[in-house]
Amino acid sequence: MNYAPVPIVMVFAGHDPCGGAGIQADIETLTSLGCHPCTIITALTAQDTSTVKDFIPADATFLVEQARAVLEDMPVAAFKIGMTASVEIIEAIHTLLQDYPEVPVVFDPVMAAGGGGTLARENLIDAFHDLLMPCTSVVTPNTLEAKALCSDADSLDACAQQLMAQGTEYVLITGGHEGSPNIVNRLWGHRQFLEEYQQKRLPGEFHGTGCTLASSIAGYLAHGASMASAVRDAQAYTAKAVAHARRLGMGQLIPDRLSWSANCR
């Protein structure tokens, strides 16, 4: 059987009705990078460009049924995990990942929306540590999420070391939530600090940047890039999308993940 030479990425994430984050951001990002996204909805949310108002987790049993239908039909080249919504969903994703240990996993440990509002009705941190970190190729928390995941750590390096000790190969801690003039992202791997990346902080607040970054890493990995190359290129892609962000609502700006196609519109 001949498969189409398009890398397939399976995404587990929530639905954002304003189209700025979650599944919609993942679809735009992966399509822009020449991948085919297969999307498994973990939750329905009521949110706008300012905040999350409420959410309803998906049924975990049906989530597994959706994913297995695709996995038994299509050659998935990478997984991306965003909003997980419940411990039951984390358990379901863990069960699925056990059958595909060779496929890279990008985990964006979403606990709150960029504009505010929780995306976790219960404490999911223990389940993150026990079930997802051991299956993860790279985890991409921002500084606030890293500190929440590793509350007893006294530095970002200690956070990264703790997460790697739990099984994830690489840790990319992003600095978009800090107040510094430049955004500083840091990458750890193989139990050591590897690289620091800096980019100028643009004015304004943006909706869906974490989703964009994690999905673009997954997209580059699906194309066969090394982790170092995927992380580097994903940051450049995300920065370009943010630089072309548009004000479509009354809250945060939405990155234009298809800005490269402007001349075709």
Side-chain angles (χ1 to χ4, degrees):
M1 181 178 294
N2 294 320
Y3 292 110
V6 177
I8 296 169
V9 178
M10 176 169 283
V11 179
F12 298 91
H15 175 270
D16 175 5
C18 80
I23 283 288
Q24 289 89 327
D26 300 323
I27 291 172
E28 288 184 358
T29 298
L30 291 166
T31 300
S32 179
L33 294 177
C35 297
H36 177 79
C38 292
T39 53
I40 311 299
I41 306 292
T42 58
L44 299 178
T45 74
Q47 65 178 300
D48 54 23
T49 57
S50 297
T51 190
V52 176
K53 303 177 189 302
D54 201 358
F55 69 89
I56 301 173
D59 177 80
T61 301
F62 190 61
L63 180 144
V64 171
E65 188 173 344
Q66 291 181 74
R68 289 219 183 275
V70 174
L71 289 164
E72 292 169 8
D73 178 52
M74 305 171 77
V76 170
F79 292 105
K80 185 264 180 176
I81 305 170
M83 178 185 181
T84 49
S86 74
V87 170
E88 290 77 16
I89 288 174
I90 293 173
E91 292 171 343
I93 295 172
H94 169 79
T95 298
L96 291 162
L97 296 181
Q98 295 304 294
D99 293 335
Y100 299 89
E102 75 287 353
V103 178
V105 177
V106 180
F107 176 32
D108 178 18
V110 177
M111 287 177 274
T118 181
L119 288 168
R121 191 165 287 136
E122 55 194 289
N123 188 347
L124 305 181
I125 290 178
D126 287 345
F128 286 169
H129 290 318
D130 297 340
L131 299 176
L132 293 185
M133 292 302 171
C135 303
T136 296
S137 305
V138 58
V139 61
T140 62
N142 60 42
T143 53
L144 301 179
E145 291 164 340
K147 293 170 184 175
L149 286 168
C150 307
S151 58
D152 58 341
D154 59 2
S155 67
L156 292 180
D157 183 72
C159 290
Q161 294 297 338
Q162 188 177 124
L163 295 173
M164 287 186 289
Q166 291 165 1
T168 184
E169 288 184 73
Y170 294 88
V171 178
L172 176 68
I173 299 181
T174 63
H177 285 71
E178 300 297 312
S180 56
N182 290 335
I183 294 175
V184 181
N185 300 335
R186 299 175 176 89
L187 178 68
W188 287 260
H190 308 295
R191 305 305 298 271
Q192 60 185 324
F193 175 74
L194 297 178
E195 196 166 357
E196 178 178 291
Y197 316 87
Q198 293 200 31
Q199 54 189 268
K200 184 175 177 59
R201 186 182 300 278
L202 298 178
E205 296 184 344
F206 304 90
H207 188 55
T209 54
C211 307
T212 305
L213 177 62
S215 280
S216 53
I217 293 173
Y220 285 117
L221 290 175
H223 276 290
S226 68
M227 184 63 71
S229 177
V231 166
R232 201 172 295 117
D233 289 346
Q235 290 177 91
Y237 171 83
T238 303
K240 184 175 181 180
V242 169
H244 291 84
R246 299 170 292 186
R247 182 168 297 284
L248 303 178
M250 294 185 288
Q252 296 179 309
L253 284 76
I254 295 179
D256 186 356
R257 304 167 186 97
L258 300 171
S259 59
W260 54 267
S261 68
N263 294 334
C264 303
R265 297 174 189 171

